[in-house]
Amino acid sequence: MTYSFKLDNQIYKVNIEEDDSGVVVEISGEEYPVEYTKLDDNLYSIIINDKSFTIGTFKQGKQIQVFHAGNLYELEAISDRELSKSGAMGSGLEIISPMPSRVVKLLKSEGDTVEEGESVVVVEAMKMESELKALQAGTIKTIKVSEGDAVEAKTLLVVLTEE
Amino acid sequence: MFEKILIANRGEIAVRIIRACKELGAKTVAVYSDADRSSLHVALADEAYHIGPPKPAESYLVKEKIIEVAKKSGAQAIHPGFGFLSENDSFAELCEKEGIVFIGPTPEAIRLMGDKITARKIAKEAKVPLVPGSDGAVTDVEAAMVAEKIGYPVMIKASAGGGGKGMRLVRDKEEFENSLRMAKSEALSSFGDDSVFVERFIEQPRHIEIQILADSHGKVLHLFERECSIQRRHQKVVEEAPSAYLTEKTRKKMGDTAVRIAKAVNYQGAGTVEFIMDQKQNFFFLEMNTRVQVEHPVTEMITGIDIVKWMIRIAEGEKLPFKQSDLKINGHALECRVYAEDPAMNFMPSPGILHYVKAPTGPGVRDDSSIYSGYEVTSFYDPMLSKLITWGETREDALKKMVAALSEYVVLGVRTNIGFLIRVMDEEEFNQAKIDTGYIERHPELLSEESPEIDPALIAAAVTMEHAVPETNNGNGKSTASNWKLLARRLGVSRNPLI
């Protein structure tokens, strides 16, 4: 089963498969062998790559809260229908700054085609650079910022159109 | 001995006091507002009485209502906790008049220490060092002159102030007039009194306070110091005992000084003398808190003395059976205040329902809290969820235990400062106890997680989706029970239309 989650205005696709040999989770092309058990209604013990985590989760409708090592993650489950709808809030066709940051480099130009998961913009926040990726394949329609720009959190940076 | 005690408070401290009463064999009486029907202190007490709407001014702060409940229930004594009526001398006086014991100092001691200007005067007479500044409230013109004389930077403080309200730091002359105006208007709206005083601002100050315990027979002891230098918005977040900074000589000098102040006002019960300390171990009197302090547990952990129980015994007239030389510091204790707030959003409170709570346990771990899965954090009261306390043989032990304990905490439903606290505990300067009250401002990188572990969170979310029970569907794509209905059901019959 594949789930799409929105977290800090980024969309992540998470594929979880269970067979006789166990559970494998795939996130952005990376595979993790996973073994989990439910401790109570809101608490899971999860072993990922032999590392053990105790993680609290709470689901209400599409909203999922995950609490891990002192940090709360607020995710939203996105259905495939919503994902393919363009223009919808935070759809896969928009690249949005997750936090106040500076645009370091634009890796693509308007008109370029991109693959799903391909990096489009490099931003720097709190002295750390991170690459913002296309959440689905498409063509770059508009780039709304220039290199060197300072942007607020949740600013729309790049708009894609479907191929 | 008191057979029944009323606890005029709520939350964690009410729970703490109820437990102490039970250990002493006294029955307990809780009071609660509309917003607190489901609070733990109500459930744990032997009796519980509703006293009005959520707003403190209409319930927990109404002296007559508290007295009425005390009489109705037959409680012989009232423990006020901290905040609310704990430092209200007219309430202490009213208790006296009505023949109910106020568990705390005399109304006179509360009054003397409650006014910062009088408190300064008393401290001066007791030869306690004071921060250079104006002797008392000043006019606008005098204020500017005093500032000029003692030299910038200066601090403007509300005479009736507390909790950081009505306080302004002024770095140079140009800012003075504007800051004075803001401090005065804040003081007026917070305390109904706009008188202010001016004093020198100590650079990189440490907040160090001495715990006092005094009986009604003239014995005044100190239970050593607590360091509370980690503050946000002038409010303490992390406290520890002892301070890793004090020399034995300074410790003794501070203890003796604090005892002197307490004696000057014939203090009885538990109290705290707060000092500000510069980088050369010079200390200056700040104020005396005439009540139990939020951070009292760290002192209990290193001295083995139950401060809350002793407050009650002292109010019963019991003599302190130990002397100063019997008291020893054993190991090190830390306290982290867990708040429903978002450090990344300037520590903005984050009220809401706690969908799930799992508190840490283990040797040397103490969790003073009143929260549980399903508890609602309202915006009527302080958003503190818990005080997590750890004890270790050394500061390093206590610190490592704190990191482990904080990492075990699970709170779903609201934003908390748990991640922030873990980052503070891991930070180099904090580890070396190089701390002062400007620590948090100096470390903005601790406010949010720089490299969150997103993948485990995503995996947990996927696992949760796999296990999700399909929500009942009534055909229109909406869940049959709206959040409002679920909330109403959880609250039961509520008298308060606000909820």
Side-chain angles (χ1 to χ4, degrees), chain A residues 12-17 23-34 48-49 51 116-117 133, chain B residues 454-456 458-459:
Chain A
Y12 299 89
K13 279 191 176 175
V14 183
N15 183 51
I16 180 164
E17 294 298 341
V23 182
V24 174
V25 177
E26 190 207 311
I27 305 167
S28 319
E30 194 155 343
E31 283 192 354
Y32 298 93
V34 169
I48 306 166
N49 267 337
K51 280 191 186 145
E116 179 190 330
K133 299 175 166 81
Chain B
I454 290 174
D455 288 353
L458 291 171
I459 291 169

Side-chain angles (χ1 to χ4, degrees), chain B residues 36-68:
Chain B
D36 273 330
R37 174 59 192 91
S38 309
S39 287
L40 201 56
H41 74 282
V42 178
L44 289 180
D46 296 299
E47 294 174 37
Y49 296 84
H50 174 251
I51 52 164
K55 275 190 191 155
E58 295 169 19
S59 48
Y60 296 106
L61 285 171
V62 185
K63 304 176 194 108
E64 297 74 20
K65 282 189 183 174
I66 308 285
I67 297 286
E68 194 191 313

Side-chain angles (χ1 to χ4, degrees), chain A residues 1 3 16 32 36 40 42-44 55 57-61 64-65 67-68 70-75, chain B residues 355-356 358 409 411-415 418-419 423 449 452-453 455 458 460 463-467 471 483:
Chain A
M1 185 76 183
Y3 301 101
I16 180 164
Y32 298 93
Y36 67 88
D40 68 33
N42 293 88
L43 205 61
Y44 288 93
I55 303 183
T57 73
F58 175 79
K59 181 178 175 294
Q60 191 168 41
I64 301 165
Q65 290 191 344
F67 191 94
H68 166 225
N71 296 309
L72 181 76
Y73 301 87
E74 292 179 283
L75 301 98
Chain B
H355 297 305
Y356 183 77
K358 187 165 169 49
Y409 231 122
V411 179
L412 289 160
V414 300
R415 295 241 148 222
I418 296 172
R423 294 188 288 276
E449 183 63 60
E453 288 190 281
D455 288 353
L458 291 171
V463 166
T464 304
M465 291 298 282
E466 293 276 289
H467 280 252
E471 276 163 50
N483 289 345

Side-chain angles (χ1 to χ4, degrees), chain B residues 279-331:
Chain B
Q279 297 294 309
K280 290 175 186 151
Q281 303 228 345
N282 294 309
F283 58 91
F284 308 97
F285 173 71
L286 268 185
E287 61 178 2
M288 181 166 188
N289 292 317
T290 54
R291 52 165 162 86
V292 67
Q293 206 89 335
V294 177
E295 58 274 22
H296 74 276
V298 288
T299 301
E300 295 184 326
M301 301 296 272
I302 62 155
T303 58
I305 289 169
D306 188 318
I307 294 170
V308 177
K309 274 203 267 187
W310 272 109
M311 288 179 83
I312 299 167
R313 291 191 188 117
I314 287 167
E316 286 169 337
E318 206 171 307
K319 285 182 176 174
L320 286 171
F322 36 81
K323 48 187 193 299
Q324 192 65 53
S325 57
D326 294 332
L327 300 171
K328 297 272 181 294
I329 295 176
N330 178 28

